[in-house]
Amino acid sequence: MKALPIALITTLLAACAAIQPARMALPAPLAEEPALVFEGMGFGQKGHFTAGPYVASFTRSDTRLALFDALVERRSGKTSFALEGPGIDGAIEAECRVGERTINISVISFTPKPMAYQCRFSHHGRALPARFELQEERRGLVGMLMRQGRRGQLAFDHVVIDMISVHRLQGSGIETGTPIGYLFESEEAPVGSVELNGKPAVRFASGTDAPTRRAVMIAATALGVLWDPAESALGREAE
């Protein structure tokens, strides 16, 4: 059975007042932790938000180019953000790019160039030896058609966390086609997450040390401000 888009699932669940808004499924200890919601973010191309003690400003854009009567679609985008908060002297700044290419043949579409998202970081105007890379998973034709999973890694100041897209809804067997959020792991143990349905919200695993919390917040911000090519709105252009 083909996975459903996030927007459709959310609409179906919201249609029944007795059903709570769709939430991403998380490991039990992490799911019980309080969430820091990205307040004041909005849906525009630029803005700012707070998440508990963290403050961030951001810009973002995306473009969609159709070639050969929409046989080939190229989507690309840029994001940038500046993050301040605990464990950060001043602000950490990031410049990020995302891209994807899709080919449409009759009613079938496939992605020869899957989604890829990368960020470069700087601090006080100096480049940091850090790495953020996220790629669409390629696990055969069935996986490509049913779900757009993503995996990646952030390496920041001796902390390495793996990023794994989450598609399963809490208390349900339903899976979304695009990520409803991301789980962050360090040495295969959950250290945090970011939920993307509605206002982004970040969680930290209990007992997580300060450098790891900072890395989780950086990853959550990069993913929270991203306009995913798979969810790209028609006609939306960069300023």
Side-chain angles (χ1 to χ4, degrees):
M1 180 178 178
K2 187 174 181 179
L4 300 175
I6 293 176
L8 177 58
I9 291 174
T10 303
T11 300
L12 292 174
L13 293 179
C16 180
I19 300 178
Q20 297 297 317
R23 299 287 302 276
M24 64 185 284
L26 287 171
L30 184 58
E32 297 167 0
E33 294 298 322
L36 300 183
V37 178
F38 289 20
E39 297 289 356
M41 183 174 176
F43 300 96
Q45 291 180 304
K46 57 185 177 181
H48 64 274
F49 63 87
T50 60
Y54 298 93
V55 179
S57 59
F58 68 90
T59 64
R60 57 188 175 185
S61 65
D62 70 356
T63 58
R64 172 172 161 172
L65 176 63
L67 304 174
F68 310 114
D69 293 327
L71 174 64
V72 179
E73 292 183 359
R74 294 178 178 173
R75 296 176 177 178
S76 61
K78 299 178 182 179
T79 65
S80 64
F81 63 87
L83 176 66
E84 302 176 47
I88 302 173
D89 176 19
I92 291 172
E93 298 181 337
E95 297 288 337
C96 311
R97 290 180 177 271
V98 63
E100 182 181 75
R101 186 176 69 176
T102 302
I103 294 179
N104 304 291
I105 302 175
S106 186
V107 296
I108 300 175
S109 66
F110 61 96
T111 308
K113 183 179 179 181
M115 180 267 198
Y117 185 38
Q118 298 178 322
C119 295
R120 295 181 298 177
F121 301 95
S122 61
H123 184 237
H124 294 316
R126 295 184 178 181
L128 293 173
R131 183 184 75 255
F132 176 103
E133 295 182 352
L134 185 73
Q135 299 275 345
E136 183 174 334
E137 288 187 290
R138 305 301 293 269
R139 295 189 177 181
L141 179 61
V142 175
M144 290 167 57
L145 294 176
M146 293 182 61
R147 194 177 77 173
Q148 291 175 298
R150 287 93 162 83
R151 292 186 72 96
Q153 193 174 80
L154 168 69
F156 192 94
D157 193 20
H158 306 294
V159 175
V160 177
I161 60 174
D162 296 314
M163 302 176 289
I164 306 160
S165 63
V166 177
H167 300 259
R168 187 172 297 278
L169 303 182
Q170 184 179 28
S172 170
I174 295 176
E175 288 198 352
T176 59
T178 51
I180 194 170
Y182 288 83
L183 176 66
F184 305 130
E185 294 184 344
S186 178
E187 298 180 350
E188 301 185 354
V191 293
S193 66
V194 62
E195 187 162 0
L196 302 178
N197 190 30
K199 294 180 181 179
V202 60
R203 285 181 169 84
F204 304 98
S206 177
T208 302
D209 59 38
T212 303
R213 289 175 68 92
R214 179 179 59 188
V216 166
M217 189 63 203
I218 292 170
T221 302
L223 295 166
V225 302
L226 170 66
W227 273 335
D228 193 312
E231 296 288 338
S232 178
L234 293 174
R236 189 166 61 197
E237 297 180 354
E239 289 184 333

